[in-house]
Amino acid sequence: MSQSPSPALSPSFRMETVGMDALIVRLFDAIDEAHMPWILAADNALREGLGGALIDLVPSYTTLLVHYDIEQLSHIEARRRVQQALHGLQPASTEAGREHRIPVWYDESVGPELPRIAERLGVDTDEIVRRHTSRDYCAFALGFSPGYAFMGMIEEALATPRLKTPRQKVAAGSVGIAERQTAIYSMRSPGGWNILGRTAVKLFDRDRDEISLFRPGDRVRFEPISREAFIEQGGDTTPLEER
C-alpha cells in the first residue's frame, strides 16, 4: 500500500461545550487526511488523561467528542484535564493504522451508479473501477450504523453528490461514494450514496474480538474481483433495488 501523507502542522485546539457532561475538542476546521495523526494522538492522550472518568471518546474528521462522568469531574475540572492531556501533543505514527484489502465486485446490477458516473466523465466503467481502486483510503470516523467507516479522499474527478432521493434499502456490503468520501454499508439500511459495487466482507461481527473491522486511522484499498470470486466469498448477487 502507498505511504500515508505527512502530518499537518501542529493544531491549536479549542473546546466547545455540548452538554453538561460532554465537550467537543476541535483540532481542525477542514477535512484533510494529513490531520489523522493528530486526531489519533489526541485520542490516546485524552484516554490516558481522563482515565476512569471517561465514559466515551468519539474521534471524527476534525474533532473528538469527550463524554465524561460528572460524578467524578466537574465541567471546570474536565476542561482542565483536557488542556493538560493535550499540552505538547505530538502526532501519532502514520504507520499506526492497520491495512485492509477489500475485494469488491463492481457491476451495474449491484452498483447502479457505476455507468452513470462513467457517462458523466466520458469514460467506460472499467476506468471508474480503476480510479476507485488506485489509491488507499483513510478511515476517518465510524458512524451511521455499526462498523460503517467514512473514508477518503477519492480523487476530485470522481466526487459525486449524494442522491437527491435516497434509496429505502441498500444491501449490506454495498460500496459507494458521496462527494469525496467512500464507504461500505455495514448492514442493510436506507442510504443516499452512489453505489458502485458490493463486497462480501463483514464489517461488523459480534463474534469477533473486535466487533468492528475498521478503526479510525486504518487504511483501506479496494480490489476488483469477478462475479464468480464474489460468490465464492459468500457474496449476495441480488440486484440492488431501485429507489
Side-chain angles (χ1 to χ4, degrees):
M1 288 191 175
S2 62
Q3 293 183 344
S4 302
S6 299
L9 295 177
S10 176
S12 54
F13 71 90
R14 61 184 185 272
M15 281 181 278
E16 305 166 9
T17 300
V18 292
M20 62 184 297
D21 58 355
L23 295 165
I24 281 183
V25 178
R26 185 173 299 279
L27 271 66
F28 303 98
D29 292 314
I31 297 174
D32 191 319
E33 191 174 348
H35 295 163
M36 281 308 296
W38 293 100
I39 296 291
L40 296 175
D43 182 278
N44 291 333
L46 290 169
R47 290 183 189 278
E48 291 182 8
L50 276 76
L54 184 67
I55 294 176
D56 198 10
L57 182 59
V58 184
S60 187
Y61 300 96
T62 58
T63 64
L64 299 99
L65 174 65
V66 181
H67 181 197
Y68 57 90
D69 185 350
I70 57 174
E71 292 187 355
Q72 297 188 53
L73 294 179
S74 67
H75 181 71
I76 293 175
E77 177 62 13
R79 293 179 69 93
R80 188 193 70 78
R81 293 271 286 272
V82 169
Q83 288 273 6
Q84 186 177 46
L86 298 183
H87 179 71
L89 187 71
Q90 294 296 316
S93 168
T94 56
E95 304 301 320
R98 299 169 301 180
E99 297 182 347
H100 306 269
R101 291 188 178 273
I102 304 297
V104 178
W105 177 40
Y106 292 90
D107 188 82
E108 182 176 351
S109 66
V110 293
E113 274 72 61
L114 186 60
R116 298 173 195 172
I117 295 174
E119 182 179 4
R120 174 173 64 82
L121 295 183
V123 298
D124 58 23
T125 56
D126 287 344
E127 175 63 11
I128 301 300
V129 174
R130 187 194 68 77
R131 293 187 184 190
H132 189 249
T133 58
S134 66
R135 60 175 63 192
D136 297 346
Y137 299 105
C138 176
F140 288 110
L142 301 181
F144 178 62
S145 62
Y148 188 104
F150 293 88
M151 297 178 280
M153 308 288 284
I154 67 171
E155 68 168 271
E156 194 168 353
L158 285 183
T160 306
R162 288 176 172 82
L163 302 176
K164 292 182 179 179
T165 304
R167 290 184 171 88
Q168 294 184 1
K169 297 175 183 177
V170 179
S174 293
V175 177
I177 61 176
E179 302 299 344
R180 295 197 63 193
Q181 299 177 94
T182 189
I184 306 169
Y185 282 77
S186 58
M187 58 184 61
R188 188 181 185 186
S189 66
W193 289 42
N194 302 275
I195 307 302
L196 306 181
R198 192 177 295 172
T199 181
V201 173
K202 232 176 169 180
L203 302 190
F204 182 77
D205 187 347
R206 291 184 176 87
D207 295 328
R208 285 196 301 240
D209 290 339
E210 288 196 56
I211 59 177
S212 177
L213 179 64
F214 299 138
R215 294 186 306 212
D218 283 359
R219 306 198 64 76
V220 179
R221 174 68 69 99
F222 296 107
E223 297 182 328
I225 59 172
S226 66
R227 183 178 188 274
E228 291 70 28
F230 178 67
I231 293 172
E232 288 177 3
Q233 294 171 10
D236 178 8
T237 61
T238 304
L240 189 63
E241 297 178 9
E242 287 297 323
R243 286 167 280 167

